[in-house]
């Protein structure tokens, strides 16, 4: 698959995933109090149901394209501290793996009926911080050198 196709797939999947995280953290959390507990629970349930159907495909494309693109830089990644690009890409990959682990944790807790509101908020805030850093690193890799 061409690099252009991989980058495009990765970018669209990232927009979908990061956009969803931004929406949940910045929009939904901001309307929690004015909307009320019951309405918010209904909204969260509906969004959660839709996200559980859609996000596994988005994540598969995001991580599949990401792995394929990282494969092209495997020589750089073999020596992560020899260049700023390799260091920043390595950090980005570690953060992306952390996001994946948190995503799997959330799905597992939800399936077992053990995802509490506190866990939900902490995971979302953590993933939000991670994706902000990932987006910054995605650009920094090509512009920051030392």
């Amino acid at each position: 698959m061409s690099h252009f196709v991989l980058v495009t797939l990765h970018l669209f999947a990232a927009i979908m995933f990061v956009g969803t995280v931004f929406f949940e953290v910045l929009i939904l959390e901001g309307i929690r109090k004015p909307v009320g507990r019951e309405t918010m629970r209904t909204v969260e349930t509906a969004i959660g149901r839709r996200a559980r159907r859609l996000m596994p495909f988005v994540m598969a494309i995001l991580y599949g394209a990401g792995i394929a693109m990282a494969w092209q830089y495997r020589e750089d990644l073999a020596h992560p501290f020899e260049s700023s690009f390799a260091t920043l890409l390595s950090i980005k990959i570690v953060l992306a793996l952390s996001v994946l682990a948190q995503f799997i944790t959330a799905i597992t807790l939800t399936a077992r009926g053990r995802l509490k509101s506190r866990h939900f908020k902490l995971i979302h805030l953590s993933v939000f911080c991670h994706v902000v850093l990932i987006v910054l690193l995605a650009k920094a890799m090509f512009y920051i050198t030392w």
Side-chain angles (χ1 to χ4, degrees):
M1 192 174 295
S2 77
H3 188 72
F4 171 75
V5 171
L6 289 174
V7 169
T8 303
L9 288 172
H10 190 70
L11 184 58
F12 279 123
I15 289 168
M16 180 68 178
F17 181 74
V18 173
T20 301
V21 171
F22 269 64
F23 174 77
E24 289 178 349
V25 171
L26 298 177
I27 304 296
L28 282 183
E29 286 303 317
I31 65 167
R32 186 173 297 284
K33 287 181 184 175
V35 167
R37 181 173 285 195
E38 286 306 312
T39 303
M40 196 63 191
R41 190 169 298 156
T42 303
V43 168
E44 285 177 340
T45 301
I47 290 173
R49 191 176 307 120
R50 179 68 178 149
R52 279 189 298 279
R53 278 192 227 124
L54 192 59
M55 281 304 146
F57 297 106
V58 171
M59 296 295 275
I61 292 168
L62 180 63
Y63 282 85
I67 290 166
M69 288 189 305
W71 183 254
Q72 296 174 12
Y73 297 108
R74 64 189 175 277
E75 290 179 21
D76 293 318
L77 290 169
H79 308 285
F81 300 111
E82 287 189 8
S83 71
S84 55
F85 177 84
T87 302
L88 295 173
L89 180 56
S90 297
I91 294 167
K92 183 179 173 223
I93 290 170
V94 168
L95 290 170
L97 291 172
S98 176
V99 168
L100 182 60
Q102 292 176 76
F103 181 76
I104 292 169
T105 299
I107 289 172
T108 303
L109 288 173
T110 300
R112 293 180 179 170
R114 297 181 61 207
L115 184 64
K116 307 287 187 219
S117 178
R118 182 172 181 262
H119 297 133
F120 180 83
K121 287 179 184 178
L122 287 174
I123 289 171
H124 274 79
L125 186 58
S126 176
V127 169
F128 177 80
C129 291
H130 279 69
V131 298
V132 167
L133 289 172
I134 289 168
V135 168
L136 290 173
L137 286 168
K139 288 299 171 194
M141 293 181 330
F142 298 100
Y143 295 102
I144 295 177
T145 58
W146 56 77

